[in-house]
Amino acid sequence: MSDPLSGDPGRHAPERPQVAAADTRVTASAVSQQLRLLEEETRTRLLERTGRSVRLTAAGRQLAEDTENVLTALEQARNRLRTGTGKPAGPLHFACFPSALVPLAARSAMPWRMSTGI
């Protein structure tokens, strides 16, 4: 899976596939194809195509803004994780079949027990 923070055509230049392509190291054609597929999937026109130029529709502008908000939230979450203490901050709950519980719990708890001194 690619890193959403390192390359996203919508984040760089939604109205200029060539710039988005250069920023993300894919071809302008690939960017255009992905945008066309997104339009088909959402049944929403995102771009106004006139000759060789494109402009975002109102829906395209909204999607670009929403995408930027999501990517900003991901970046903030990543930064919080990097600056965290790495210590447990709350309860951990998990579920499994009873037959797997004993060996799974024993293996999972050992590093935690060693780090907390319990």
Side-chain angles (χ1 to χ4, degrees), residues 5-6 21 35 39 68 95:
L5 300 178
S6 65
L35 288 169
E39 286 180 319
E68 182 62 35

Side-chain angles (χ1 to χ4, degrees), residues 4 22 25 30 55 66 70 75 80 85 87 91-92 94 112 115:
R25 297 185 182 125
R55 286 184 29 199
D66 291 344
V70 167
E75 194 168 6
R80 282 191 299 273
T85 63
K87 294 183 179 179
L92 170 65
F94 64 93
W112 177 77
S115 69

Side-chain angles (χ1 to χ4, degrees), residues 7-57:
D8 175 42
R11 186 168 213 181
H12 297 285
E15 296 189 42
R16 299 190 53 210
Q18 298 84 357
V19 173
D23 285 350
T24 57
R25 297 185 182 125
V26 297
T27 65
S29 176
V31 171
S32 294
Q33 286 176 349
Q34 291 301 309
L35 288 169
R36 192 175 307 273
L37 284 172
L38 184 58
E39 286 180 319
E40 289 174 15
E41 281 182 23
T42 61
R43 296 182 182 175
T44 304
R45 193 166 166 209
L46 301 172
L47 300 172
E48 292 177 12
R49 295 168 177 85
T50 53
R52 294 182 54 91
S53 66
V54 293
R55 286 184 29 199
L56 289 173
T57 63

Side-chain angles (χ1 to χ4, degrees), residues 95-113:
C96 66
F97 291 106
S99 60
L101 182 59
V102 173
L104 177 63
R107 281 190 300 244
S108 299
M110 188 58 68
W112 177 77
R113 287 184 69 193

Side-chain angles (χ1 to χ4, degrees), residues 15 22 67 79:
E15 296 189 42
T67 300
N79 289 338

